[in-house]
Amino acid sequence: MVHYGHSNQLRQARAMGDYLIVGVHTDEEIAKHKGPPVFTQEERYKMVQAIKWVDEIAPGAPYVTTLETLDKYSCDFCVHGDDITLTIDGKDTYEEVKTAGRYRECKRTQGVSTTDLVGRMLLMTKAHHSNIDEDLDYRKHTDNFGKGPKGHSPWTGVSQFLQTSQKIIQFASGKEPQPGDTIIYVAGAFDLFHVGHVDFLEKVHQLAEKPYIIAGLHFDQEVNRYKGKNYPIMNIHERTLSVLACRYVSEVVIGAPYAVTADLLDHFRVTLVCHGMTEVVPDKDGSDPYEEPKQRGIFQLVDSGSNLTTDLIVQRIIKNRLDFFVFQFCHRLFHPECLGMD
């Protein structure tokens, strides 16, 4: 997968030099060493290229990083997280570049991993996620920032990620809209930020010569209202970092109102409001959440050309769940030093 933990590592790597090239493995390499990939290699190429700290990608990069690879792309050194990466037969994939002194490390983002996210998605098949609206435990959680009494979101309760203001500052662009910018507002869950979101935001970005895209992210309980089941898979903090890492997004509204109001449009001086081709669920009172921008004549539907949704990603996981966990179990049985290091 590609998630905000990877984005944070790429942010740190970019700060170590002047130009960042990211090697992305093929589906075949990942299937051999890590288990079945969630996204195809073409999807992963596009998602990594959309991360704002990435200058270039190296498609089809070998799983074992060699000096030959670094020299091919004129790289002074390579960077990886402070976790162990081994081949299927237990060899350090960075041994050669470490020995040559052309290896550096960045800190791994605690609280997220591909295995963790896969586990959250598999919870979607459990019966206890039904009738969440009648769950008293659900209703007693009033913290809008997605944390219950124990620091966990009742909607993404398995998340161990701890958000800080510093982390948001590190991910945010800090750029204000400039004269001549077209301020475009989009809103949604942006859950499990994926290539479908990237395609949509890229199309929105192309609508103006100088676009300034503001993404409104709905709180966990709002997403659960219109998505149901165990959605969102990622809580509001995780979704915020995921969207901020995208090169097409200039600003994020954390906990945006579901209805796009006159106050919101006036406050941000929005000139265009966009939505994808997915269904728009009415607000709690049955009203159209885009009524105000439609009345102003600034609402536009945007066809991303992609049919990938969060639901389809979950379906991929469920379809491949047995293969994935059998691989993970066997790999960690023989290589326990890799536990939690993906």
Side-chain angles (χ1 to χ4, degrees):
M1 290 188 67
V2 180
H3 52 69
Y4 66 91
H6 298 130
S7 298
N8 190 38
Q9 290 186 338
L10 297 177
R11 177 191 65 79
Q12 295 175 70
R14 183 62 175 80
M16 295 180 187
D18 304 303
Y19 193 86
L20 179 63
I21 301 174
V22 181
V24 185
H25 307 311
T26 63
D27 293 344
E28 183 181 4
E29 283 279 80
I30 291 181
K32 177 181 176 182
H33 295 281
K34 292 178 73 71
V38 177
F39 296 111
T40 68
Q41 60 198 45
E42 295 300 328
E43 290 170 341
R44 288 181 287 109
Y45 295 158
K46 190 158 195 174
M47 291 170 68
V48 173
Q49 188 65 74
I51 296 172
K52 62 186 177 183
W53 298 288
V54 176
D55 295 299
E56 182 184 341
I57 66 166
Y63 197 73
V64 176
T65 303
T66 63
L67 294 174
E68 181 183 0
T69 301
L70 295 189
D71 292 339
K72 177 182 176 181
Y73 291 97
S74 302
C75 295
D76 295 298
F77 57 88
C78 67
V79 182
H80 191 263
D82 55 357
D83 50 337
I84 302 171
T85 304
L86 304 177
T87 62
I88 190 66
D89 54 1
K91 295 180 180 177
D92 186 344
T93 59
Y94 290 91
E95 182 178 358
E96 182 177 323
V97 291
K98 285 179 178 178
T99 302
R102 293 173 68 180
Y103 174 85
R104 297 187 187 180
E105 280 187 353
C106 59
K107 292 185 185 244
R108 181 178 179 272
T109 305
Q110 296 299 318
V112 63
S113 70
T114 298
T115 305
D116 170 50
L117 293 175
V118 167
R120 298 190 210 180
M121 284 183 265
L122 288 178
L123 289 175
M124 304 290 287
T125 63
K126 304 295 184 181
H128 69 266
H129 293 131
S130 61
N131 301 320
I132 193 169
D133 289 328
E134 280 70 48
D135 190 330
L136 292 176
D137 188 54
Y138 169 89
R139 279 185 278 173
K140 76 182 181 183
H141 291 285
T142 56
D143 183 346
N144 276 340
F145 281 89
K147 289 191 205 167
K150 297 180 182 178
H152 293 178
S153 164
W155 301 278
T156 55
V158 294
S159 173
Q160 302 299 314
F161 175 72
L162 297 176
Q163 181 68 285
T164 64
S165 58
Q166 182 63 28
K167 189 65 66 188
I168 293 178
I169 291 171
Q170 289 171 341
F171 271 60
S173 68
K175 295 179 181 177
E176 297 283 341
Q178 300 300 310
D181 284 356
T182 300
I183 301 176
I184 306 174
Y185 182 76
V186 299
F190 292 98
D191 196 16
L192 287 176
F193 194 77
H194 53 72
V195 72
H197 297 131
V198 171
D199 285 336
F200 168 69
L201 291 169
E202 183 180 23
K203 285 291 178 65
V204 171
H205 195 268
Q206 293 169 351
L207 293 176
E209 185 177 344
K210 294 177 61 182
Y212 187 94
I213 298 177
I214 301 174
L217 300 189
H218 302 140
F219 280 130
D220 295 345
Q221 59 268 51
E222 190 67 67
V223 175
N224 187 261
R225 178 187 71 82
Y226 62 79
K227 289 280 290 182
K229 298 181 183 177
N230 194 43
Y231 290 115
I233 304 297
M234 288 181 167
N235 66 36
I236 184 68
H237 305 299
E238 298 173 306
R239 291 183 284 120
T240 295
L241 295 187
S242 299
V243 176
L244 281 174
C246 181
R247 66 173 68 251
Y248 303 118
V249 174
S250 301
E251 181 63 285
V252 165
V253 180
I254 305 172
Y258 186 66
V260 182
T261 63
D263 286 343
L264 184 148
L265 296 175
D266 294 340
H267 177 80
F268 291 108
R269 295 171 294 157
V270 175
T271 52
L272 183 64
V273 176
C274 295
H275 188 271
M277 306 306 290
T278 56
E279 177 190 7
V280 177
V281 178
D283 206 349
K284 296 185 188 72
D285 59 2
S287 63
D288 181 356
Y290 290 100
E291 182 178 352
E292 180 65 27
K294 286 178 179 177
Q295 287 183 352
R296 296 190 183 196
I298 60 171
F299 179 78
Q300 183 173 335
L301 286 174
V302 175
D303 187 352
S304 68
S306 172
N307 64 354
L308 186 64
T309 63
T310 304
D311 287 322
L312 287 177
I313 294 172
V314 172
Q315 288 173 27
R316 289 182 184 182
I317 289 293
I318 293 173
K319 181 181 178 182
N320 293 319
R321 68 189 182 280
L322 185 58
D323 288 343
F324 182 87
F325 281 107
V326 166
F327 184 97
Q328 290 292 321
F329 174 78
C330 292
H331 183 65
R332 290 175 179 185
L333 178 66
F334 293 104
H335 303 293
E337 67 273 20
C338 293
L339 270 173
M341 296 299 184
D342 61 337

